[in-house]
mmCIF file of all heavy atoms in Angstrom:
data_model
loop_
_atom_site.group_PDB
_atom_site.id
_atom_site.type_symbol
_atom_site.label_atom_id
_atom_site.label_comp_id
_atom_site.label_asym_id
_atom_site.label_seq_id
_atom_site.Cartn_x
_atom_site.Cartn_y
_atom_site.Cartn_z
ATOM 1 N N LYS A 182 -49.584 -89.237 2.666
ATOM 2 C CA LYS A 182 -49.819 -90.608 3.041
ATOM 3 C C LYS A 182 -50.721 -91.195 2.122
ATOM 4 O O LYS A 182 -50.951 -92.430 2.234
ATOM 5 C CB LYS A 182 -50.570 -90.424 4.445
ATOM 6 C CG LYS A 182 -49.766 -90.033 5.545
ATOM 7 C CD LYS A 182 -50.383 -89.927 6.848
ATOM 8 C CE LYS A 182 -49.396 -89.379 8.131
ATOM 9 N NZ LYS A 182 -50.265 -89.382 9.279
ATOM 10 N N LYS A 183 -51.255 -90.445 1.189
ATOM 11 C CA LYS A 183 -52.197 -91.058 0.241
ATOM 12 C C LYS A 183 -53.404 -91.784 0.765
ATOM 13 O O LYS A 183 -53.800 -92.925 0.385
ATOM 14 C CB LYS A 183 -51.354 -91.946 -0.733
ATOM 15 C CG LYS A 183 -50.407 -91.193 -1.570
ATOM 16 C CD LYS A 183 -49.657 -92.171 -2.521
ATOM 17 C CE LYS A 183 -48.597 -91.368 -3.264
ATOM 18 N NZ LYS A 183 -47.936 -92.275 -4.192
ATOM 19 N N ARG A 184 -54.029 -91.080 1.813
ATOM 20 C CA ARG A 184 -55.124 -91.643 2.466
ATOM 21 C C ARG A 184 -55.915 -90.640 3.158
ATOM 22 O O ARG A 184 -55.346 -89.452 3.374
ATOM 23 C CB ARG A 184 -54.735 -92.813 3.470
ATOM 24 C CG ARG A 184 -53.739 -92.128 4.593
ATOM 25 C CD ARG A 184 -53.290 -93.266 5.361
ATOM 26 N NE ARG A 184 -54.156 -93.852 6.319
ATOM 27 C CZ ARG A 184 -54.408 -95.162 6.417
ATOM 28 N NH1 ARG A 184 -53.916 -96.054 5.633
ATOM 29 N NH2 ARG A 184 -55.329 -95.632 7.329
ATOM 30 N N VAL A 185 -57.127 -90.929 3.561
ATOM 31 C CA VAL A 185 -57.923 -89.992 4.311
ATOM 32 C C VAL A 185 -57.482 -90.090 5.808
ATOM 33 O O VAL A 185 -57.395 -91.227 6.305
ATOM 34 C CB VAL A 185 -59.405 -90.179 4.164
ATOM 35 C CG1 VAL A 185 -60.131 -89.694 5.245
ATOM 36 C CG2 VAL A 185 -59.975 -89.741 2.917
ATOM 37 N N THR A 186 -57.323 -88.978 6.373
ATOM 38 C CA THR A 186 -56.721 -89.022 7.764
ATOM 39 C C THR A 186 -57.902 -88.621 8.746
ATOM 40 O O THR A 186 -57.736 -88.723 9.971
ATOM 41 C CB THR A 186 -55.585 -88.056 7.988
ATOM 42 O OG1 THR A 186 -55.866 -86.761 7.405
ATOM 43 C CG2 THR A 186 -54.374 -88.656 7.138
ATOM 44 N N GLY A 187 -59.011 -87.885 8.300
ATOM 45 C CA GLY A 187 -59.954 -87.439 9.137
ATOM 46 C C GLY A 187 -61.121 -86.756 8.474
ATOM 47 O O GLY A 187 -61.300 -86.854 7.303
ATOM 48 N N VAL A 188 -61.858 -85.932 9.229
ATOM 49 C CA VAL A 188 -62.971 -85.220 8.784
ATOM 50 C C VAL A 188 -62.972 -83.831 9.358
ATOM 51 O O VAL A 188 -62.546 -83.643 10.409
ATOM 52 C CB VAL A 188 -64.354 -85.966 9.023
ATOM 53 C CG1 VAL A 188 -64.293 -87.313 8.247
ATOM 54 C CG2 VAL A 188 -64.642 -86.039 10.487
ATOM 55 N N ARG A 189 -63.645 -82.978 8.611
ATOM 56 C CA ARG A 189 -63.846 -81.635 9.031
ATOM 57 C C ARG A 189 -65.278 -81.530 9.518
ATOM 58 O O ARG A 189 -66.163 -81.785 8.779
ATOM 59 C CB ARG A 189 -63.511 -80.526 8.003
ATOM 60 C CG ARG A 189 -62.119 -80.589 7.438
ATOM 61 C CD ARG A 189 -61.940 -79.483 6.405
ATOM 62 N NE ARG A 189 -60.585 -79.784 5.788
ATOM 63 C CZ ARG A 189 -60.348 -80.509 4.750
ATOM 64 N NH1 ARG A 189 -61.333 -81.216 4.190
ATOM 65 N NH2 ARG A 189 -59.133 -80.575 4.246
ATOM 66 N N VAL A 190 -65.531 -80.883 10.702
ATOM 67 C CA VAL A 190 -66.856 -80.882 11.296
ATOM 68 C C VAL A 190 -67.205 -79.526 11.816
ATOM 69 O O VAL A 190 -66.457 -78.823 12.408
ATOM 70 C CB VAL A 190 -66.954 -81.950 12.439
ATOM 71 C CG1 VAL A 190 -68.335 -81.668 13.233
ATOM 72 C CG2 VAL A 190 -66.735 -83.297 12.077
ATOM 73 N N ILE A 191 -68.500 -79.039 11.320
ATOM 74 C CA ILE A 191 -68.887 -77.822 11.864
ATOM 75 C C ILE A 191 -69.867 -78.015 13.032
ATOM 76 O O ILE A 191 -70.820 -78.811 12.836
ATOM 77 C CB ILE A 191 -69.690 -77.156 10.587
ATOM 78 C CG1 ILE A 191 -68.770 -76.823 9.452
ATOM 79 C CG2 ILE A 191 -70.264 -75.816 11.131
ATOM 80 C CD1 ILE A 191 -69.500 -76.350 8.244
ATOM 81 N N ASP A 192 -69.608 -77.395 14.081
ATOM 82 C CA ASP A 192 -70.396 -77.465 15.210
ATOM 83 C C ASP A 192 -71.811 -76.700 14.920
ATOM 84 O O ASP A 192 -71.750 -75.471 14.547
ATOM 85 C CB ASP A 192 -69.804 -76.807 16.460
ATOM 86 C CG ASP A 192 -70.471 -77.116 17.792
ATOM 87 O OD1 ASP A 192 -71.586 -76.333 17.931
ATOM 88 O OD2 ASP A 192 -70.250 -77.981 18.493
ATOM 89 N N ALA A 193 -72.902 -77.428 15.025
ATOM 90 C CA ALA A 193 -74.163 -76.835 14.637
ATOM 91 C C ALA A 193 -74.651 -75.566 15.556
ATOM 92 O O ALA A 193 -75.339 -74.843 15.181
ATOM 93 C CB ALA A 193 -75.297 -77.926 14.722
ATOM 94 N N HIS A 194 -74.002 -75.551 16.713
ATOM 95 C CA HIS A 194 -74.247 -74.448 17.732
ATOM 96 C C HIS A 194 -73.436 -73.287 17.483
ATOM 97 O O HIS A 194 -73.837 -72.165 17.270
ATOM 98 C CB HIS A 194 -74.177 -74.999 19.113
ATOM 99 C CG HIS A 194 -75.363 -75.924 19.525
ATOM 100 N ND1 HIS A 194 -76.679 -75.706 19.319
ATOM 101 C CD2 HIS A 194 -75.253 -77.213 20.116
ATOM 102 C CE1 HIS A 194 -77.400 -76.687 19.744
ATOM 103 N NE2 HIS A 194 -76.569 -77.639 20.247
ATOM 104 N N SER A 195 -72.142 -73.540 17.460
ATOM 105 C CA SER A 195 -71.168 -72.353 17.530
ATOM 106 C C SER A 195 -70.641 -72.141 16.083
ATOM 107 O O SER A 195 -70.224 -70.986 15.938
ATOM 108 C CB SER A 195 -69.916 -72.866 18.270
ATOM 109 O OG SER A 195 -69.208 -73.960 17.635
ATOM 110 N N ARG A 196 -70.904 -73.057 15.108
ATOM 111 C CA ARG A 196 -70.527 -72.754 13.731
ATOM 112 C C ARG A 196 -68.975 -72.864 13.607
ATOM 113 O O ARG A 196 -68.545 -72.577 12.390
ATOM 114 C CB ARG A 196 -71.095 -71.461 13.169
ATOM 115 C CG ARG A 196 -72.575 -71.327 13.278
ATOM 116 C CD ARG A 196 -73.265 -72.399 12.396
ATOM 117 N NE ARG A 196 -74.757 -72.263 12.547
ATOM 118 C CZ ARG A 196 -75.535 -71.722 11.538
ATOM 119 N NH1 ARG A 196 -74.931 -71.272 10.457
ATOM 120 N NH2 ARG A 196 -76.885 -71.721 11.702
ATOM 121 N N GLU A 197 -68.263 -73.298 14.591
ATOM 122 C CA GLU A 197 -66.944 -73.362 14.515
ATOM 123 C C GLU A 197 -66.493 -74.742 13.881
ATOM 124 O O GLU A 197 -67.328 -75.699 14.076
ATOM 125 C CB GLU A 197 -66.218 -73.332 15.841
ATOM 126 C CG GLU A 197 -66.333 -71.843 16.441
ATOM 127 C CD GLU A 197 -65.616 -71.691 17.741
ATOM 128 O OE1 GLU A 197 -64.389 -72.242 17.767
ATOM 129 O OE2 GLU A 197 -65.989 -71.204 18.683
ATOM 130 N N MET A 198 -65.428 -74.823 13.222
ATOM 131 C CA MET A 198 -65.064 -76.062 12.587
ATOM 132 C C MET A 198 -63.896 -76.723 13.348
ATOM 133 O O MET A 198 -62.915 -76.105 13.753
ATOM 134 C CB MET A 198 -64.571 -75.839 11.078
ATOM 135 C CG MET A 198 -64.178 -77.083 10.269
ATOM 136 S SD MET A 198 -63.655 -76.824 8.492
ATOM 137 C CE MET A 198 -65.213 -76.206 7.859
ATOM 138 N N THR A 199 -64.123 -78.054 13.502
ATOM 139 C CA THR A 199 -63.024 -78.747 14.164
ATOM 140 C C THR A 199 -62.542 -80.009 13.305
ATOM 141 O O THR A 199 -63.454 -80.567 12.536
ATOM 142 C CB THR A 199 -63.580 -79.391 15.558
ATOM 143 O OG1 THR A 199 -64.111 -78.237 16.336
ATOM 144 C CG2 THR A 199 -62.519 -80.117 16.324
ATOM 145 N N GLU A 200 -61.484 -80.427 13.366
ATOM 146 C CA GLU A 200 -60.952 -81.748 12.741
ATOM 147 C C GLU A 200 -60.900 -82.870 13.557
ATOM 148 O O GLU A 200 -60.395 -82.809 14.668
ATOM 149 C CB GLU A 200 -59.654 -81.382 11.909
ATOM 150 C CG GLU A 200 -59.714 -80.343 10.858
ATOM 151 C CD GLU A 200 -58.342 -80.151 10.175
ATOM 152 O OE1 GLU A 200 -57.420 -80.564 10.747
ATOM 153 O OE2 GLU A 200 -58.409 -79.413 9.226
ATOM 154 N N TYR A 201 -61.422 -84.042 13.197
ATOM 155 C CA TYR A 201 -61.346 -85.280 13.917
ATOM 156 C C TYR A 201 -60.531 -86.320 13.065
ATOM 157 O O TYR A 201 -60.764 -86.213 11.839
ATOM 158 C CB TYR A 201 -62.661 -85.775 14.354
ATOM 159 C CG TYR A 201 -63.415 -84.852 15.092
ATOM 160 C CD1 TYR A 201 -64.282 -83.844 14.751
ATOM 161 C CD2 TYR A 201 -63.233 -84.968 16.603
ATOM 162 C CE1 TYR A 201 -64.852 -83.038 15.483
ATOM 163 C CE2 TYR A 201 -63.875 -84.083 17.481
ATOM 164 C CZ TYR A 201 -64.649 -83.137 16.976
ATOM 165 O OH TYR A 201 -65.271 -82.251 17.798
ATOM 166 N N PHE A 202 -59.859 -87.109 13.656
ATOM 167 C CA PHE A 202 -58.863 -88.067 12.820
ATOM 168 C C PHE A 202 -59.185 -89.513 13.180
ATOM 169 O O PHE A 202 -59.601 -89.849 14.267
ATOM 170 C CB PHE A 202 -57.490 -87.582 13.231
ATOM 171 C CG PHE A 202 -57.065 -86.320 13.009
ATOM 172 C CD1 PHE A 202 -57.253 -85.201 13.951
ATOM 173 C CD2 PHE A 202 -56.833 -85.754 11.686
ATOM 174 C CE1 PHE A 202 -56.988 -83.913 13.743
ATOM 175 C CE2 PHE A 202 -56.608 -84.448 11.526
ATOM 176 C CZ PHE A 202 -56.607 -83.489 12.401
ATOM 177 N N ALA A 203 -58.966 -90.360 12.258
ATOM 178 C CA ALA A 203 -59.141 -91.775 12.269
ATOM 179 C C ALA A 203 -58.384 -92.471 11.280
ATOM 180 O O ALA A 203 -57.993 -91.903 10.195
ATOM 181 C CB ALA A 203 -60.534 -92.171 12.382
ATOM 182 N N ARG A 204 -58.108 -93.814 11.385
ATOM 183 C CA ARG A 204 -57.508 -94.559 10.363
ATOM 184 C C ARG A 204 -58.377 -95.043 9.350
ATOM 185 O O ARG A 204 -58.024 -95.271 8.209
ATOM 186 C CB ARG A 204 -56.887 -95.876 11.037
ATOM 187 C CG ARG A 204 -55.713 -95.429 12.100
ATOM 188 C CD ARG A 204 -55.428 -96.409 13.116
ATOM 189 N NE ARG A 204 -54.790 -97.583 12.474
ATOM 190 C CZ ARG A 204 -54.503 -98.848 13.143
ATOM 191 N NH1 ARG A 204 -55.034 -99.023 14.282
ATOM 192 N NH2 ARG A 204 -53.918 -99.749 12.552
ATOM 193 N N ILE A 205 -59.733 -95.219 9.683
ATOM 194 C CA ILE A 205 -60.560 -95.564 8.666
ATOM 195 C C ILE A 205 -62.087 -94.677 8.963
ATOM 196 O O ILE A 205 -62.172 -94.130 9.975
ATOM 197 C CB ILE A 205 -61.151 -96.957 8.721
ATOM 198 C CG1 ILE A 205 -61.691 -97.453 10.150
ATOM 199 C CG2 ILE A 205 -59.979 -97.860 8.244
ATOM 200 C CD1 ILE A 205 -62.188 -98.787 10.175
ATOM 201 N N VAL A 206 -62.688 -94.476 7.821
ATOM 202 C CA VAL A 206 -63.913 -93.702 7.857
ATOM 203 C C VAL A 206 -65.023 -94.542 7.161
ATOM 204 O O VAL A 206 -64.808 -94.868 5.885
ATOM 205 C CB VAL A 206 -63.633 -92.384 7.070
ATOM 206 C CG1 VAL A 206 -65.066 -91.458 7.087
ATOM 207 C CG2 VAL A 206 -62.650 -91.463 7.955
ATOM 208 N N PHE A 207 -66.121 -94.496 7.699
ATOM 209 C CA PHE A 207 -67.306 -95.060 7.149
ATOM 210 C C PHE A 207 -68.320 -93.920 6.787
ATOM 211 O O PHE A 207 -68.643 -93.173 7.724
ATOM 212 C CB PHE A 207 -67.987 -96.079 8.063
ATOM 213 C CG PHE A 207 -67.550 -97.428 7.891
ATOM 214 C CD1 PHE A 207 -66.163 -97.820 8.205
ATOM 215 C CD2 PHE A 207 -68.380 -98.533 7.313
ATOM 216 C CE1 PHE A 207 -65.777 -99.109 7.986
ATOM 217 C CE2 PHE A 207 -67.882 -99.850 7.038
ATOM 218 C CZ PHE A 207 -66.598 -100.104 7.454
ATOM 219 N N LEU A 208 -68.780 -93.964 5.502
ATOM 220 C CA LEU A 208 -69.858 -92.933 5.259
ATOM 221 C C LEU A 208 -71.250 -93.576 5.263
ATOM 222 O O LEU A 208 -71.559 -94.475 4.418
ATOM 223 C CB LEU A 208 -69.495 -92.333 3.711
ATOM 224 C CG LEU A 208 -68.599 -91.094 3.876
ATOM 225 C CD1 LEU A 208 -67.153 -91.444 3.962
ATOM 226 C CD2 LEU A 208 -68.780 -90.336 2.581
ATOM 227 N N ASN A 209 -71.972 -93.094 6.051
ATOM 228 C CA ASN A 209 -73.414 -93.598 6.314
ATOM 229 C C ASN A 209 -74.361 -92.325 6.479
ATOM 230 O O ASN A 209 -75.328 -92.522 7.355
ATOM 231 C CB ASN A 209 -73.389 -94.588 7.449
ATOM 232 C CG ASN A 209 -72.449 -95.798 7.284
ATOM 233 O OD1 ASN A 209 -71.429 -95.750 7.878
ATOM 234 N ND2 ASN A 209 -72.925 -96.753 6.507
ATOM 235 N N ALA A 210 -74.150 -91.468 5.739
ATOM 236 C CA ALA A 210 -74.874 -90.167 5.868
ATOM 237 C C ALA A 210 -76.173 -90.079 5.161
ATOM 238 O O ALA A 210 -76.863 -89.054 5.198
ATOM 239 C CB ALA A 210 -73.992 -88.871 5.507
ATOM 240 N N SER A 211 -76.616 -91.208 4.483
ATOM 241 C CA SER A 211 -77.694 -91.224 3.575
ATOM 242 C C SER A 211 -77.137 -90.996 2.144
ATOM 243 O O SER A 211 -76.175 -90.282 2.045
ATOM 244 C CB SER A 211 -79.006 -90.527 3.955
ATOM 245 O OG SER A 211 -78.852 -89.213 3.530
ATOM 246 N N ALA A 212 -77.809 -91.697 1.156
ATOM 247 C CA ALA A 212 -77.157 -91.786 -0.121
ATOM 248 C C ALA A 212 -76.819 -90.356 -0.717
ATOM 249 O O ALA A 212 -75.619 -90.246 -1.087
ATOM 250 C CB ALA A 212 -78.244 -92.493 -1.248
ATOM 251 N N LEU A 213 -77.702 -89.477 -0.702
ATOM 252 C CA LEU A 213 -77.332 -88.137 -1.373
ATOM 253 C C LEU A 213 -76.341 -87.331 -0.588
ATOM 254 O O LEU A 213 -75.574 -86.672 -1.238
ATOM 255 C CB LEU A 213 -78.657 -87.295 -1.679
ATOM 256 C CG LEU A 213 -79.509 -88.011 -2.571
ATOM 257 C CD1 LEU A 213 -80.646 -87.041 -3.195
ATOM 258 C CD2 LEU A 213 -78.907 -88.760 -3.829
ATOM 259 N N ASN A 214 -76.469 -87.430 0.678
ATOM 260 C CA ASN A 214 -75.429 -86.660 1.576
ATOM 261 C C ASN A 214 -74.092 -87.226 1.574
ATOM 262 O O ASN A 214 -73.199 -86.498 1.467
ATOM 263 C CB ASN A 214 -76.113 -86.645 2.963
ATOM 264 C CG ASN A 214 -76.707 -85.409 3.382
ATOM 265 O OD1 ASN A 214 -76.532 -84.147 2.844
ATOM 266 N ND2 ASN A 214 -77.713 -85.526 4.260
ATOM 267 N N THR A 215 -74.084 -88.517 1.194
ATOM 268 C CA THR A 215 -72.809 -89.204 1.204
ATOM 269 C C THR A 215 -72.071 -88.777 -0.136
ATOM 270 O O THR A 215 -70.859 -88.394 -0.273
ATOM 271 C CB THR A 215 -72.920 -90.713 1.223
ATOM 272 O OG1 THR A 215 -73.121 -91.206 2.567
ATOM 273 C CG2 THR A 215 -71.598 -91.472 0.733
ATOM 274 N N ASN A 216 -72.907 -88.667 -1.228
ATOM 275 C CA ASN A 216 -72.406 -88.104 -2.442
ATOM 276 C C ASN A 216 -71.993 -86.655 -2.274
ATOM 277 O O ASN A 216 -70.934 -86.291 -2.793
ATOM 278 C CB ASN A 216 -73.597 -88.157 -3.521
ATOM 279 C CG ASN A 216 -73.743 -89.466 -4.256
ATOM 280 O OD1 ASN A 216 -73.095 -89.687 -5.262
ATOM 281 N ND2 ASN A 216 -74.531 -90.305 -3.677
ATOM 282 N N LEU A 217 -72.711 -85.822 -1.646
ATOM 283 C CA LEU A 217 -72.330 -84.471 -1.298
ATOM 284 C C LEU A 217 -71.017 -84.359 -0.606
ATOM 285 O O LEU A 217 -70.249 -83.501 -1.073
ATOM 286 C CB LEU A 217 -73.502 -83.886 -0.624
ATOM 287 C CG LEU A 217 -73.426 -82.286 -0.320
ATOM 288 C CD1 LEU A 217 -74.800 -81.698 -0.103
ATOM 289 C CD2 LEU A 217 -72.425 -81.780 0.621
#
């Protein structure tokens, strides 16, 4: 599709990874975390 379809998320409690999907993604994680 040549686009981002979602994000991978680690649950801070269980440490399990889940994927969430969307048509657009906004990065507002703070400057250095967004770079990371």
Side-chain angles (χ1 to χ4, degrees):
K182 296 179 179 178
K183 298 181 179 179
R184 58 187 290 120
V185 162
T186 56
V188 299
R189 302 177 186 92
V190 174
I191 300 170
D192 186 284
H194 292 309
S195 68
R196 304 300 178 100
E197 294 187 45
M198 185 178 289
T199 305
E200 295 181 350
Y201 296 92
F202 304 95
R204 297 160 70 188
I205 56 174
V206 175
F207 269 68
L208 270 77
N209 304 100
S211 80
L213 299 193
N214 266 325
T215 287
N216 275 272
L217 189 159

